[in-house]
Amino acid sequence: MLRISRSVRRADLKAVGDVRRALRELMRHRCEGDTADVAELLITELVTNALVHTDRGAEVSATLAAARLRVEVRDYAAGRPRPYVPTADDGTHGRGLMLVETLADTWGVDALAPGSGKVVWFELDGRPA
């Protein structure tokens, strides 16, 4: 089993690229390219959501075991995110969870103890490279 974990400070959107690169390195030579591409897109969406929509940073972890990837993004906000279908006027805003819902094999939101936030996660099944 291989694992990465990163702490991302509040509003540090530059750190999103660092998280994406760490995930790419974790998956390199272990999963097919299309699975890695989807994983990078989805982790970008979840980390960006945590940084834009909450007042604190995020804790990010990714675990790869037998070509099954699980990514977890913990933030400190109690609110449960909900996917919605954006209107044409939204531009690219609001599509993150819709992408996760569409592209992940499974995903969900786990509430933590009161005051501790939540974990938004997804899993992808990838064939070995």
Side-chain angles (χ1 to χ4, degrees):
M1 176 171 24
L2 300 167
R3 181 177 172 88
I4 61 168
S5 62
R6 298 286 186 275
S7 293
V8 182
R9 290 189 327 252
R10 178 180 170 264
D12 185 7
L13 293 177
K14 289 191 290 186
V16 176
D18 295 335
V19 170
R20 192 173 48 241
R21 282 186 289 280
L23 180 65
R24 183 182 318 130
E25 184 61 28
L26 176 74
M27 297 182 76
R28 193 178 73 157
H29 306 302
R30 295 178 185 94
C31 293
E32 287 188 346
D34 58 341
T35 301
D37 292 343
V38 169
E40 284 184 50
L41 172 65
L42 299 184
I43 200 170
T44 298
E45 294 297 336
L46 292 187
V47 173
T48 301
N49 282 351
L51 297 179
V52 169
H53 298 293
T54 67
D55 292 335
R56 292 175 60 185
E59 303 296 324
V60 182
S61 67
T63 305
L64 182 62
R68 180 146 183 101
L69 174 72
R70 181 177 175 96
V71 171
E72 298 180 350
V73 178
R74 176 188 181 203
D75 64 46
Y76 298 89
R80 192 169 179 85
R82 289 182 303 272
Y84 74 98
V85 178
T87 65
D89 295 339
D90 286 337
T92 59
H93 173 74
R95 288 176 168 73
L97 284 179
M98 188 174 70
L99 288 170
V100 173
E101 185 175 55
T102 301
L103 297 174
D105 292 312
T106 59
W107 80 282
V109 180
D110 297 333
L112 301 175
S116 299
K118 65 184 170 298
V119 174
V120 183
W121 58 269
F122 70 85
E123 294 182 351
L124 293 173
D125 290 323
R127 293 182 300 274

